[in-house]
Amino acid sequence: MENKVSIIEEKLEVQHGQFQEFKYQLQAIEGEVAEVRINNQVLSEKNAELESFANPFSIDGTAICNDFENYS
């Protein structure tokens, strides 16, 4: 019986170590996902800015950015 208990304890220790490793890997992946989301937001903002330079007026003819309000 003692032998079975020690085997089970060893297996639990191994599983706990694997769990900790997976936990650290998950945290690293979550950090990378957050970084990608931030980069996507920055790229979206830059894209919108470039599009407003290419076409400063919306479909209804109003200025998209404030720089062109005085010229219309």
Side-chain angles (χ1 to χ4, degrees), residues 29-40:
I29 291 170
E30 287 173 342
E32 290 176 11
V33 167
E35 187 176 334
V36 167
R37 285 183 177 157
I38 291 169
N39 288 341
N40 281 342

Side-chain angles (χ1 to χ4, degrees), residues 28-55:
I29 291 170
E30 287 173 342
E32 290 176 11
V33 167
E35 187 176 334
V36 167
R37 285 183 177 157
I38 291 169
N39 288 341
N40 281 342
Q41 180 66 32
V42 169
L43 289 174
S44 292
E45 291 170 1
K46 287 182 180 182
N47 188 34
E49 182 180 12
L50 291 173
E51 286 179 9
S52 72
F53 288 142
N55 185 11

Side-chain angles (χ1 to χ4, degrees), residues 13-68:
E13 286 180 31
V14 169
Q15 286 180 347
H16 181 72
Q18 289 173 338
F19 172 76
Q20 290 299 325
E21 183 179 334
F22 290 140
K23 184 178 171 182
Y24 295 135
Q25 289 175 351
L26 178 61
Q27 288 173 344
I29 291 170
E30 287 173 342
E32 290 176 11
V33 167
E35 187 176 334
V36 167
R37 285 183 177 157
I38 291 169
N39 288 341
N40 281 342
Q41 180 66 32
V42 169
L43 289 174
S44 292
E45 291 170 1
K46 287 182 180 182
N47 188 34
E49 182 180 12
L50 291 173
E51 286 179 9
S52 72
F53 288 142
N55 185 11
F57 300 98
S58 66
I59 294 173
D60 65 358
T62 59
I64 292 176
C65 69
N66 296 335
D67 294 338
F68 295 100

